[in-house]
Amino acid sequence: MAKILIIDDDIDIVEAIGILLRTFGHETDSAFNKIEGEKKVESFKPDLIILDVMMEEADDGMVLARDLRSKGFEKPIIMLTSLGSVTGYSVGNEEGILPVDVFHEKPISPDQLISTVKKLLEGKK
Amino acid sequence: MVMIEKEKFSEEMVNLGEKYGRTRNALLPILQNLIESHKTLSDDMIREVADFLGIQPAEVYGVVTFYSFLNPEKRGKFRIYLCQTICCDMQGKAEIAKELEKELGIKFGETTEDGLFSLEYTNCIGMCDQGPALLVNEKVFVKVTPQMIKEIIEGCRLQKKEKLPQSNPINFLKILPDGLFSNVIPESGLKKALSIGRGETIKAITDSGLKGRGGAGFTTGVKWNLTAVAKDPVKFVVCNADEGEPGTFKDRVLLSNYADLVFEGMTIGGYAIGAKKGILYLRGEYRYMLPHLLSILEERRKNNLLGEKILNKEDFSFDIEIKLGSGAYVCGEETALIESLEGKRGEPRNRPPFPVNTGYLGHPTTVNNVETFLAAARILANGAEWFKKFGTEKSSGTKLFSISGNCKHPGVYELPMGIKVSELLKLVGGEDAKAVVIGGASGSIISPKDFERRISYEDLATGGSVMIFGKEMNLLKVAKNFMEFFVEESCGQCTPCRLGNVQLLKGIEMLQKNECSGQYLKQLLSLGETMKLTSKCGLGQSSPNVFTSLVENFPDEIGIKRED
């Protein structure tokens, strides 16, 4: 089982995903903003990160993902966002400008999340 | 139209179509050309244009009547626009207006019988540090005197340029050592961006903490990031050079003296977000700069700084085009600007969707101010840490301030963000100020008790306009001038702004006549709050600021006490 860090400013999302992942035997930790997230990556050393986009700034998740990659973090990152449903924004990933493994619009079903986590931990996209 | 005229007109339309295309976004340049050559836009012409572009005549008419420089009424060969904004007013506008009327024998809003001259007032033309100023067609005259009026009119009558008085704008800029303009190595920012890649370029902008220099102060890195990540193969970079805020003229100086750096910043922006095209939206009042800017763009193309495979980067092509505004302050609002680029009335859009996802022609678009792009170029060249050396934690960098009004040394100053108002006043010789308006007509009017406050996004925010008013200045007159400006410039789309500004103007006039009760003043302040909360865009949300801050900070000036 894996160590999974959930970074999201919505406490309900953090709790719900945490409960789900722990039910499947994973160890979880959480952070509620970009700075806290950076620190937890250092201390918790996650095998996978579930990351929100809009936190204090509208692009905090994107900035954090890019920062982590430039510091050498190579583990999978799942980006979850409600950006599309709130603003109509659609995200692409041309030329690796957004260095995450999977980008998913909220809401995501528990089955879908667990299966995505499983695939990424097994090294599949 | 008679047959021969119609044929000639059709030929003219075909030529314009070849130059600008036959799509809706060609409407504004086509109309600008037509009014230039015909001095009017008749109903027949409007119908022909509509037919040519495949749109309804009502749509063309809507656009024509929206922009002040497209006024369809027949005008003179020489259209004289006298700036009526407060800074020019303080520098002798009334005397110039009188002289113009006397020399031409017409009133404002009229055209001479021989069809040679028409006389109009216009709002701020960005010459606040050297008023009174006027435009004759696109040519600017500054520090105009009654004697110059005679010479200008005589020169126009003789139709000889050499007979016109020489009165070009002076672009005074005081810079900081080690600031934005020090040790500039041409294209070093662009070269750096191309060497580190798109993601790291955006990261440099994000790390610098650069915020939009137009006044709204949105974080530039966020805009670039969201546009870069938006899903669309077609993206645009737009430079907002529509500085229409009364008291703001820094972009005039930047485009006159540092256009290369602005275009370099746009090119970096294009690379970072994945755009192939940039557009500079130049306010109609700055049309005189167009040949200069076009020649710089041409030079950049020759030097492989624009066009295909820029600086031999295989996968990077980018070019810049300039589009002219036609005299509408509201087009400085980014979604109104995009509407204008699309050949429509410059009416702000509902948000969301935001331009980063649904901007020009529906594609992801980054819209930034002239100074923002210039700063971006310098940040890439010198690094985010250099930029953060200046300013405060939340307002990093230096900022250009347009200083005008009652001070010894007006002009454009580069100063660190977070500077105290008192420090700035000392620097420009305005220590005796009774009041300072920070942020232009949409900003706040502050009294000496606030002069120790800092100019920054976390305290007194501004796009750069600082207007200084001395002891003799009647502040109700200032507020009236600003409110007349907003009544004229409101696009009329939303009710709070369209009607609210008119009521506030009436209220100021009542105060001037000493006819406003304390109870009514309270209602006006409440109306101001409603406008701030419910107007659709920044214009109506900020237009009550000067009125409400005047009542708050200068109770003696308004003559009555508010009833709390």
Side-chain angles (χ1 to χ4, degrees):
Chain A
M1 291 297 105
K3 291 167 81 174
I4 299 177
L5 177 62
I6 309 154
I7 308 171
D8 197 314
D9 61 348
D10 185 335
I11 191 164
D12 294 335
I13 296 273
V14 172
E15 278 186 14
I17 293 178
I19 290 167
L20 178 71
L21 293 172
R22 289 193 295 275
T23 308
F24 281 82
H26 298 295
E27 184 186 345
T28 67
D29 201 345
S30 55
F32 298 92
N33 59 46
K34 183 169 136 299
I35 294 168
E36 210 184 330
E38 270 172 329
K39 286 181 187 161
K40 283 281 170 74
V41 173
E42 291 287 317
S43 58
F44 182 61
K45 301 199 185 316
D47 300 309
L48 183 146
I49 295 173
I50 295 175
L51 178 61
D52 184 25
V53 177
M54 294 173 78
M55 288 180 278
E56 281 156 1
E57 286 281 5
D59 65 340
D60 268 350
M62 296 172 186
V63 173
L64 180 56
R66 203 171 289 137
D67 281 355
L68 291 174
R69 291 295 191 227
S70 70
K71 282 180 191 162
F73 183 84
E74 291 176 346
K75 302 285 172 62
I77 301 175
I78 300 174
M79 189 162 260
L80 289 184
T81 183
S82 51
L83 208 56
S85 55
V86 175
T87 69
Y89 185 89
S90 54
V91 176
N93 193 16
E94 42 155 345
E95 299 169 42
I97 192 81
L98 182 63
V100 298
D101 298 80
V102 171
F103 190 95
H104 207 290
E105 273 289 328
K106 290 174 187 170
I108 183 167
S109 72
D111 287 350
Q112 213 172 0
L113 182 62
I114 290 299
S115 118
T116 307
V117 167
K118 189 164 179 278
K119 277 184 198 164
L120 287 174
L121 289 172
E122 286 168 355
K124 301 174 202 163
K125 281 198 185 178
Chain B
M1 255 190 255
V2 290
M3 193 58 77
I4 184 72
E5 279 179 343
K6 196 168 177 177
E7 272 178 26
K8 228 170 128 185
F9 190 74
S10 299
E11 199 182 308
E12 190 177 355
M13 288 305 299
V14 169
N15 290 338
L16 289 172
E18 277 172 15
K19 194 168 176 190
Y20 301 108
R22 282 188 79 157
T23 51
R24 174 71 191 252
N25 54 351
L27 178 58
L28 227 57
I30 286 176
L31 293 173
Q32 286 160 349
N33 273 270
L34 290 176
I35 202 146
E36 189 61 35
S37 56
H38 297 266
K39 314 299 172 202
T40 185
L41 288 167
S42 66
D43 289 351
D44 280 342
M45 289 160 77
I46 287 172
R47 271 193 293 273
E48 289 290 324
V49 171
D51 198 37
F52 184 76
L53 294 179
I55 56 179
Q56 294 298 321
E59 293 179 80
V60 180
Y61 184 76
V63 169
V64 164
T65 51
F66 185 84
Y67 297 93
S68 63
F69 289 171
L70 297 179
N71 180 352
E73 284 170 24
K74 179 83 179 168
R75 292 177 298 172
K77 181 171 183 184
F78 299 101
R79 299 178 308 282
I80 301 177
Y81 297 97
L82 178 63
C83 176
Q84 62 181 349
T85 313
I86 193 71
C87 292
C88 281
D89 191 274
M90 291 161 71
Q91 295 172 90
K93 177 211 80 183
E95 199 187 351
I96 299 302
K98 226 164 121 184
E99 191 65 23
L100 280 165
E101 287 183 334
K102 194 180 104 190
E103 281 295 316
L104 295 171
I106 54 170
K107 298 279 176 203
F108 276 80
E110 294 177 353
T111 301
T112 52
E113 273 182 22
D114 59 6
L116 212 50
F117 294 96
S118 51
L119 199 50
E120 288 173 51
Y121 280 118
T122 190
N123 285 324
C124 189
I125 58 173
M127 304 291 157
C128 322
D129 55 338
Q130 43 204 305
L134 57 80
L135 292 168
V136 179
N137 297 343
E138 71 261 25
K139 182 162 173 54
V140 185
F141 293 89
V142 297
K143 294 189 175 179
V144 178
T145 60
Q147 179 55 35
M148 278 169 67
I149 292 297
K150 290 187 179 72
E151 293 168 23
I152 290 168
I153 291 171
E154 189 57 24
C156 291
R157 281 207 174 110
L158 294 169
Q159 311 212 18
K160 284 183 180 168
K161 274 185 187 169
E162 61 275 16
K163 290 278 180 191
L164 290 171
Q166 289 302 308
S167 179
N168 296 321
I170 303 147
N171 294 309
F172 173 82
L173 170 64
K174 188 168 170 55
I175 61 170
L176 281 179
D178 197 29
L180 285 172
F181 307 95
S182 301
N183 308 317
V184 175
I185 301 167
E187 313 313 325
S188 50
L190 178 59
K191 284 175 188 164
K192 179 72 187 247
L194 298 182
S195 70
I196 60 178
R198 296 176 57 200
E200 287 299 309
T201 298
I202 295 173
K203 184 171 155 45
I205 298 298
T206 302
D207 289 348
S208 74
L210 174 65
K211 290 183 177 174
R213 282 348 197 190
F218 192 79
T219 313
T220 307
V222 175
K223 251 187 200 180
W224 286 26
N225 220 346
L226 292 174
T227 319
V229 172
K231 190 177 186 176
D232 195 326
V234 179
K235 294 175 187 177
F236 293 98
V237 167
V238 173
C239 177
N240 183 345
D242 192 41
E243 69 171 350
E245 187 71 51
T248 313
F249 45 89
K250 65 182 179 64
D251 294 346
R252 177 197 90 213
V253 174
L254 292 182
L255 290 170
S256 300
N257 296 358
Y258 295 96
D260 253 317
L261 279 177
V262 177
F263 292 139
E264 183 186 346
M266 286 179 73
T267 312
I268 293 168
Y271 173 66
I273 69 162
K276 289 187 172 56
K277 186 166 180 186
I279 303 168
L280 183 128
Y281 184 91
L282 184 68
R283 67 183 306 219
E285 291 82 348
Y286 289 170
R287 189 175 170 172
Y288 73 94
M289 282 189 216
L290 191 59
H292 160 70
L293 295 173
L294 288 173
S295 71
I296 291 180
L297 286 179
E298 203 42 51
E299 199 60 26
R300 292 184 73 80
R301 284 184 198 109
K302 279 186 200 155
N303 293 329
N304 190 219
L305 299 167
L306 285 175
E308 300 293 319
K309 297 178 189 169
I310 288 173
L311 292 174
N312 302 321
K313 181 93 176 165
E314 272 302 313
D315 53 353
F316 180 46
S317 302
F318 184 76
D319 211 331
I320 296 172
E321 127 179 61
I322 299 175
K323 290 206 171 187
L324 278 170
S326 267
Y329 165 76
V330 71
C331 290
E333 196 277 343
E334 64 176 2
T335 61
L337 188 155
I338 290 169
E339 288 284 297
S340 181
L341 284 176
E342 292 180 357
K344 298 173 190 160
R345 292 163 66 89
E347 292 174 342
R349 294 176 176 174
N350 283 329
R351 292 190 279 192
F354 295 94
V356 290
N357 192 61
T358 312
Y360 180 55
L361 302 176
H363 298 291
T365 304
T366 280
V367 184
N368 284 134
N369 174 261
V370 171
E371 187 186 344
T372 311
F373 280 117
L374 184 142
R378 302 303 294 142
I379 288 165
L380 262 296
N382 294 343
E385 289 308 312
W386 158 80
F387 192 70
K388 283 159 74 177
K389 271 196 330 195
F390 303 98
T392 66
E393 194 190 338
K394 288 184 179 165
S395 305
S396 55
T398 67
K399 169 94 192 77
L400 296 184
F401 294 95
S402 312
I403 312 290
S404 62
N406 297 126
C407 64
K408 289 185 190 123
H409 314 293
V412 178
Y413 290 73
E414 183 194 18
L415 296 168
M417 289 294 276
I419 189 169
K420 285 181 184 172
V421 177
S422 60
E423 293 168 339
L424 185 146
L425 289 174
K426 198 174 168 191
L427 201 69
V428 305
E431 298 97 321
D432 295 336
K434 167 167 87 172
V436 178
V437 175
I438 308 278
S442 59
S444 297
I445 186 160
I446 60 166
S447 64
K449 74 176 167 55
D450 287 324
F451 286 179
E452 292 308 302
R453 286 175 66 185
R454 293 182 184 278
I455 304 178
S456 62
Y457 295 110
E458 55 268 43
D459 191 359
L460 292 165
T462 175
S465 167
V466 177
M467 287 187 269
I468 301 165
F469 298 105
K471 301 249 182 295
E472 305 303 316
M473 195 67 200
N474 179 331
L475 298 182
L476 271 175
K477 186 182 171 185
V478 175
K480 182 172 183 254
N481 186 282
F482 289 167
M483 209 44 73
E484 284 169 342
F485 169 79
F486 286 121
V487 166
E488 201 174 312
E489 296 293 348
S490 169
C491 79
Q493 199 185 175
C494 73
T495 311
C497 179
R498 184 180 66 245
L499 300 183
N501 286 317
V502 174
Q503 294 309 315
L504 290 184
L505 175 59
K506 282 184 187 168
I508 293 168
E509 287 166 347
M510 286 167 76
L511 284 165
Q512 284 182 317
K513 292 181 208 156
N514 214 10
E515 289 173 357
C516 182
S517 69
Q519 182 57 35
Y520 191 60
L521 180 64
K522 196 176 162 189
Q523 284 189 22
L524 288 173
L525 289 170
S526 165
L527 171 66
E529 289 308 312
T530 305
M531 289 168 67
K532 287 181 193 181
L533 285 171
T534 57
S535 293
K536 187 173 175 180
C537 81
L539 194 154
Q541 288 161 10
S542 59
S543 62
N545 284 346
V546 164
F547 175 73
T548 53
S549 56
L550 178 69
V551 176
E552 187 68 38
N553 296 328
F554 294 90
D556 294 342
E557 200 82 14
I558 58 164
I560 54 167
K561 283 186 180 161
R562 55 191 282 199
E563 291 178 6
D564 288 318

